[in-house]
Amino acid sequence: MLVSAKEMLDKAKAGHYAVGQFNINNLEWTKAILLTAEECKSPVILGVSEGAGKYMTGFKTVAAMVKAMDESLGITVPVALHLDHGTYDGTKACIEAGFTSVMFDGSSYNIDENVAKTKELVELAHKNGISIEAEVGAIGGEEDGVVGAGECADPDECKMVADLGVDMLAAGIGNIHGVYPDNWAGLSFETLDAIQQKTGSMPLVLHGGTGIPDDMIAKAIDLGVSKINVNTECQLVFAEETRKYIEAGKDKQGKGFDPRKLLAPGTEAIKAKVKEKMELFGSVGKA
Ligand code: 13P
């Protein structure tokens, strides 16, 4: 069932668990995540970066595919189709294309411009019944070619943006997209605690979920994180299982070259990874 992310995140915040956002790249990814959410009776958020949207030939294609697949598979759990790290124009395009949730990432602007643009997009999203995420303080690492240093957000600026009526807030707390470097300092729980105290019941979003140790995830949820984004980990297990299949020469046995066979081990690996994360985040059985 395609829905805005608001209700599922408000419930997660109140219930002290987190909903996973898993990024999609194609049909296999989408199907794997939807089937796992249904099996786990868990709400889920499908994340689409602007780059992935372009790869899938545009936001309209993505919205049509997800809507049709959700119906064809008879998915009963709440599913939000969410733009990940949207630009100003990309956010508007997704609202138009039929996404049920968007993220406007204004973190590269100064705070006044971030506030002004976020405010405008909150009104537009809400007019269309769509939930909206905003960002304060850049998340480190590379996302669609944009490289951030991973700064910690200013809790006062977080409050300014939360007060605009956004439905969820991503705030940098030392988290990084992609695999964490060996010398990573870990999450700043001091910053997270200060942000949570300033923003109250606002669901907080933890980006860069790949590779964060389980105990840090638990503590982050404890301190108000209600949405956790995972992308790279699904890509890594998909690549790993696909490589094993080819290295074992299975594509050369019978009709093993059929894409439905070739992509099956990677797709199964995504399912297992998504299930593992849903269990870790505490969202199983919460649909
Ligand atoms: P990872 O690729 O590090 O899991 O981060 C995903 C993310 O935060 C998408 O916005």
Side-chain angles (χ1 to χ4, degrees):
M1 191 185 22
L2 273 192
V3 292
S4 126
K6 178 163 176 54
E7 194 183 324
M8 66 170 88
L9 292 178
D10 285 348
K11 275 190 188 162
K13 177 90 183 188
H16 303 289
Y17 60 92
V19 178
Q21 173 192 304
F22 302 97
N23 286 53
I24 59 170
N25 293 286
N26 58 20
L27 183 143
E28 280 74 19
W29 241 262
T30 312
K31 185 174 163 188
I33 298 164
L34 287 179
L35 287 173
T36 309
E38 185 68 22
E39 182 195 318
C40 292
K41 292 284 165 259
S42 168
V44 73
I45 297 170
L46 302 177
V48 181
S49 68
E50 294 205 359
K54 228 181 251 171
Y55 175 79
M56 290 183 270
T57 76
F59 296 133
K60 282 190 181 158
T61 311
V62 177
M65 173 182 77
V66 170
K67 189 169 182 294
M69 198 186 290
D70 185 73
E71 283 170 20
S72 311
L73 292 174
I75 302 295
T76 60
V77 298
V79 177
L81 175 60
H82 181 77
L83 171 66
D84 190 27
H85 292 283
T87 57
Y88 178 82
D89 289 338
T91 303
K92 285 187 158 177
C94 282
I95 292 173
E96 184 128 324
F99 278 47
T100 60
S101 190
V102 287
M103 172 187 190
F104 168 60
D105 180 355
S107 63
S108 60
Y109 297 108
N110 65 45
I111 186 65
D112 293 334
E113 202 167 349
N114 188 356
V115 164
K117 287 190 159 67
T118 301
K119 186 169 187 288
E120 188 192 325
L121 292 168
V122 165
E123 279 163 22
L124 186 65
H126 286 173
K127 216 162 53 185
N128 287 275
I130 291 168
S131 51
I132 181 164
E133 172 178 347
E135 178 169 327
V136 179
I139 293 161
E142 189 254 325
E143 179 83 7
D144 269 357
V146 180
V147 180
E151 65 193 57
C152 280
D154 173 348
D156 289 314
E157 291 186 0
C158 289
K159 174 151 178 54
M160 276 167 77
V161 173
D163 284 348
L164 300 171
V166 299
D167 303 291
M168 57 202 120
L169 181 69
I173 54 166
N175 40 337
I176 298 173
H177 290 124
V179 176
Y180 284 85
D182 291 339
N183 63 353
W184 178 51
L187 298 176
S188 169
F189 291 113
E190 207 186 348
T191 308
L192 179 57
D193 193 30
I195 293 168
Q196 143 92 359
Q197 287 190 27
K198 293 262 177 193
T199 57
S201 60
M202 167 71 51
L204 300 175
V205 184
L206 182 62
H207 282 246
T210 293
I212 297 179
D214 292 3
D215 60 329
M216 285 197 199
I217 292 282
K219 191 158 181 194
I221 293 173
D222 224 34
L223 289 171
V225 163
S226 323
K227 171 175 179 274
I228 302 176
N229 294 5
V230 178
N231 182 17
T232 307
E233 249 179 282
C234 290
Q235 299 189 352
L236 288 172
V237 294
F238 180 85
E240 169 86 18
E241 291 308 313
T242 308
R243 180 161 47 74
K244 276 191 208 156
Y245 181 91
I246 293 187
E247 281 180 357
K250 291 189 180 164
D251 57 316
K252 298 209 170 109
Q253 295 163 12
K255 280 220 166 200
F257 54 83
D258 180 332
R260 284 170 281 179
K261 293 205 166 100
L262 178 66
L263 301 179
T267 306
E268 285 305 312
I270 294 172
K271 281 190 189 165
K273 180 55 74 182
V274 169
K275 186 170 183 203
E276 174 194 315
K277 295 295 175 189
M278 286 176 166
E279 282 166 358
L280 177 64
F281 301 163
S283 68
V284 173
K286 296 291 185 347

